[in-house]
């Protein structure tokens, strides 16, 4: 292996590690990030604002506040230095009345002189006090004499004592003469205005997101075969309006296609029925013979098939979704099956009132139960409803359907039991219709093995 190979291998493994780390980071962000658009949009507004404000506040504290305090402290210390100079140059005045008057009236400082013993030892420094630090610094720089200061406490005055040649000068200076004390106002305004901004952003965002939620609701309702909310109209930002318009157009197209299909099937079946009726009339005019009997039977069967087909084509068109009591409806089916001499049982779990197109849905489950009744003795119907789905299973103890035929039997007119029991005339449309109805509710039907030994048909529709 050449050194080039080793190099490339190292690079590869490094790249692999980086991409792995990146993936993990991306996944973590995905987990941590709020899921809703509302929260995300708010985050997009809040995060820059907080960062910006922190930076501004930090810079302001660091620079401006320090600088102002330093300038103010320097000014106070300059005044004190001048007073000390005056005191030392003109010491003739006995109790320094003039000096103290000038200090009080012109400089705003309260000055008096104490015996040299009144100089306390330097106390502990407050840990984080800008004023203490700056003032000490300035005193050291400008006066170069031992001093003692007291800046702690809430008092509006700062006390400064300076060791002179044979006594101590005590000065009370107003705190805000030495200290940029109203900077908190700045922070207060900053936080206050950002709260106002945030409130405005929340109000605006809510209005922006509402049309998206409306569109989602409408699309969901359409998927479940329900009417879109009555007041649904494209609203909001241009992109959202565009999506809503596209949805409405798509909905219109789908509905037109369905209507067209239904109308065509109905038309064809109707025309055929007319011809069949003529057949029947003509057959009735013929003399009875075995051939004519057979023909009559065929025509009858064709008539039945056509009726079923017409029903299929009419489908559930035009019916509106309405809350329906599923438990009661399943009980009804059980009653029907028992009247026809079958053993039937019904269980329902969950809240039984479900919004469906009730006539169509009854037909759907009814077809499954009638299939079970045709092929088996015992029927078990189970309903289950949770927060998302309504699931109805129909079990029987009949012969069942071979796994490879379980999709086939949904094809219209396909019947497996032609050989099994020919005289029980079915048209082979029952399962096709049932699946059509389930799908138009946004759900589906699957066939499987029943624990009772026969077929299990499971209908699942979203609620
Ligand atoms: N529970 C069942 N057990 C066994 N076979 C079944 C069962 N249900 C349906 N099948 C088979 O599937 C075929 C298709 O059923 P489908 O309901 O579509 O038509 P059909 O029952 O024959 O006629 P129709 O329901 O229109 O009167 C049936 O012919 C039957 O062979
Ligand atoms: Mg059937």
């Amino acid at each position: 292996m050449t050194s080039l190979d080793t190099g490339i291998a190292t690079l590869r493994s490094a790249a692999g590690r980086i991409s792995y780390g990146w993936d993990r980071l991306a996944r973590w962000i995905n987990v941590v990030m709020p899921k809703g658009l509302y929260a995300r949009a708010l985050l997009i507004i809040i995060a820059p604002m907080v960062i910006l404000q922190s930076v501004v506040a930090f810079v302001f504290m660091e620079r401006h506040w320090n600088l102002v305090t330093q300038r103010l402290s320097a000014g106070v210390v300059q005044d004190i230095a001048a007073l000390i100079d005056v005191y030392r140059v003109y010491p003739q005045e006995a109790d320094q009345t003039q000096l103290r008057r000038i200090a009080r009236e012109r400089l705003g400082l309260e000055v008096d002189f104490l015996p040299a013993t009144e100089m306390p030892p330097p106390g502990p420094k407050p840990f984080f006090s800008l004023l203490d630090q700056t003032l000490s610094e300035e005193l050291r720089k400008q006066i170069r004499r031992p001093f003692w200061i007291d800046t702690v406490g809430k008092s509006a005055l700062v006390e400064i004592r300076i060791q002179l040649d044979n006594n101590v000068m005590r000065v009370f200076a107003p705190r805000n003469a030495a200290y940029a004390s109203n900077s908190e106002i700045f922070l207060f305004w900053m936080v206050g205005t950002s709260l106002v901004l945030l409130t405005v952003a929340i109000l605006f965002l809510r209005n922006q997101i509402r049309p998206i939620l409306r569109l989602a609701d409408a699309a969901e309702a359409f998927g479940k075969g329900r009417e879109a909310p009555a007041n649904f109209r494209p609203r909001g930002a241009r992109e959202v309006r565009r999506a809503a318009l596209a949805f409405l157009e798509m909905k219109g197209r789908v509905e037109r296609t369905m209507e067209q299909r239904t109308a065509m099937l109905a038309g064809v079946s109707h025309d055929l029925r007319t011809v069949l009726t003529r057949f029947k009339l003509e057959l009735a005019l013929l003399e009875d013979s075995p051939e004519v009997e057979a023909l009559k039977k065929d025509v009858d069967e064709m008539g039945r098939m056509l009726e079923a087909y017409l029903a299929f084509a009419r489908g559930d068109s035009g019916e509106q979704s309405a809350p329906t009591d599923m438990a009661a409806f399943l009980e009804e089916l059980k009653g029907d099956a028992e009247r026809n001499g079958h053993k039937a049982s019904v269980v329902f779990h969950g809240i039984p009132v479900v919004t469906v197109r009730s006539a169509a849905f009854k037909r759907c489950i009814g077809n499954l139960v009638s299939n079970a009744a045709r092929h088996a003795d015992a029927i078990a119907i189970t309903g289950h409803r949770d927060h998302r789905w309504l699931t109805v299973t129909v079990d029987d103890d009949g012969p069942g359907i071979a796994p490879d035929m379980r999709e086939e039997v949904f094809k219209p007119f396909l019947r497996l039991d032609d050989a099994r029991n020919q005289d029980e005339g079915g048209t082979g449309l029952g399962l096709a219709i049932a699946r059509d109805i389930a799908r138009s509710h946004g759900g589906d039907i699957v066939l499987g093995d029943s624990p009772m030994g026969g077929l299990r048909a499971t209908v699942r529709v979203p609620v």
Side-chain angles (χ1 to χ4, degrees):
M1 201 148 94
T2 66
S3 62
L4 185 66
D5 286 340
T6 340
I8 288 177
T10 319
L11 268 180
R12 267 219 193 99
S13 85
R17 267 202 301 277
I18 289 176
S19 91
Y20 174 71
W22 180 250
D23 277 357
R24 285 195 54 171
L25 182 72
R27 225 169 304 141
W28 180 78
I29 290 179
N30 227 347
V31 170
V32 176
M33 273 292 268
K35 295 289 171 281
L37 179 58
Y38 193 32
R40 283 190 181 190
L42 270 186
L43 201 70
I44 292 172
I45 294 176
I46 292 172
M49 200 157 80
V50 169
I51 294 173
L52 179 78
Q53 295 211 337
S54 316
V55 171
V56 168
F58 184 71
V59 170
F60 181 80
M61 294 290 176
E62 265 309 283
R63 298 281 163 75
H64 183 84
W65 202 0
N66 281 6
L67 195 68
V68 172
T69 303
Q70 196 217 334
R71 295 261 161 87
L72 290 174
S73 295
V76 170
V77 174
Q78 263 163 26
D79 290 349
I80 296 175
L83 288 175
I84 293 176
D85 282 354
V86 171
Y87 173 72
R88 291 182 62 213
V89 176
Y90 304 106
Q92 60 274 40
E93 208 185 351
D95 54 355
Q96 308 301 334
T97 333
Q98 288 308 316
L99 186 76
R100 288 167 62 189
R101 183 188 61 79
I102 293 171
R104 187 177 337 108
E105 288 177 6
R106 303 290 172 210
L107 306 174
L109 301 174
E110 204 61 54
V111 175
D112 54 3
F113 293 89
L114 310 171
T117 49
E118 289 295 313
M119 187 69 183
K125 291 274 154 212
F127 179 62
F128 180 73
S129 166
L130 184 61
L131 176 59
D132 201 283
Q133 281 168 16
T134 353
L135 208 53
S136 306
E137 177 96 353
E138 288 299 323
L139 283 168
R140 227 172 281 127
K141 228 164 46 192
Q142 295 191 35
I143 299 182
R144 295 201 201 86
R145 280 168 185 278
F147 62 87
W148 176 91
I149 54 176
D150 178 11
T151 61
V152 200
K154 288 259 177 288
S155 120
L157 292 176
V158 176
E159 183 179 348
I160 304 167
R161 293 188 192 191
I162 294 160
Q163 178 88 62
L164 298 184
D165 297 332
N166 40 24
N167 57 359
V168 169
M169 180 179 183
R170 180 170 71 175
V171 182
F172 285 108
R175 179 183 283 268
N176 55 13
Y179 182 57
S181 58
N182 56 357
S183 307
E184 288 83 358
I185 291 283
F186 174 79
L187 291 181
F188 174 77
W189 270 99
M190 207 163 70
V191 174
T193 44
S194 13
L195 284 183
V196 172
L197 257 179
L198 201 67
T199 319
V200 173
I202 287 177
L203 292 181
F204 268 94
L205 263 182
R206 179 166 298 180
N207 279 339
Q208 294 307 305
I209 285 173
R210 204 173 294 145
I212 302 181
L213 290 179
R214 286 238 180 87
L215 175 57
D217 285 345
E220 214 174 283
F222 182 57
K224 291 179 185 172
R226 298 177 193 166
E227 261 310 295
N231 56 355
F232 179 70
R233 234 168 288 123
R235 288 234 178 97
R238 193 174 56 224
E239 291 80 357
V240 182
R241 262 207 313 262
R242 229 178 86 190
L245 272 177
F247 164 71
L248 283 181
E249 271 169 27
M250 184 197 74
K251 180 168 172 276
R253 269 199 298 273
V254 171
E255 280 168 352
R256 268 200 304 282
T257 316
M258 284 187 327
E259 266 164 33
Q260 205 175 337
R261 183 197 76 161
T262 314
M264 205 182 78
L265 290 179
V268 169
S269 310
H270 187 264
D271 291 353
L272 287 179
R273 196 157 58 168
T274 320
V275 178
L276 266 186
T277 316
R278 274 210 306 272
F279 266 25
K280 273 187 200 164
L281 279 176
E282 283 156 15
L283 279 174
L285 294 180
L286 286 182
E287 300 209 339
D288 275 357
S289 72
E291 288 80 17
V292 171
E293 277 307 309
L295 257 178
K296 272 185 183 165
K297 235 173 134 186
D298 280 349
V299 168
D300 274 348
E301 189 178 344
M302 246 182 121
R304 255 204 324 276
M305 280 171 79
L306 259 185
E307 287 306 324
Y309 198 53
L310 255 183
F312 178 37
R314 255 197 318 274
D316 44 342
S317 56
E319 198 190 348
Q320 295 292 322
S321 294
T324 312
D325 188 340
M326 276 300 144
F329 157 60
L330 294 184
E331 280 297 336
E332 230 172 80
L333 282 181
K334 175 189 161 196
D336 289 348
E338 277 172 346
R339 264 192 298 284
N340 289 331
H342 292 86
K343 284 196 293 278
S345 69
V346 164
V347 205
F348 195 91
H349 304 287
I351 305 164
V353 177
V354 181
T355 305
V356 290
R357 287 193 300 275
S358 53
F361 198 76
K362 280 176 188 177
R363 214 143 92 86
C364 168
I365 308 289
N367 282 355
L368 298 178
V369 175
S370 80
N371 277 355
R374 181 177 290 162
H375 298 280
D377 293 327
I379 306 169
I381 308 171
T382 321
H384 180 91
R385 184 245 169 102
D386 57 23
H387 64 290
R388 278 183 58 84
W389 300 96
L390 166 71
T391 315
V392 179
T393 54
V394 180
D395 287 306
D396 64 46
D397 62 350
I401 298 180
D404 57 331
M405 290 308 288
R406 283 181 192 156
E407 275 304 306
E408 291 290 302
V409 288
F410 282 107
K411 289 185 178 157
F413 298 115
L414 193 131
R415 303 184 61 213
L416 300 178
D417 47 2
D418 279 2
R420 285 186 200 155
N421 39 2
Q422 268 176 328
D423 26 315
E424 285 198 36
T427 51
L429 276 174
L431 285 175
I433 293 174
R435 173 168 266 182
D436 198 56
I437 293 170
R439 287 194 170 161
S440 77
H441 280 83
D444 204 357
I445 301 185
V446 287
L447 300 181
D449 287 320
S450 165
M452 291 168 66
L455 187 76
R456 160 173 282 188
T458 309
V459 183
R460 208 164 73 126
V461 295
V463 293

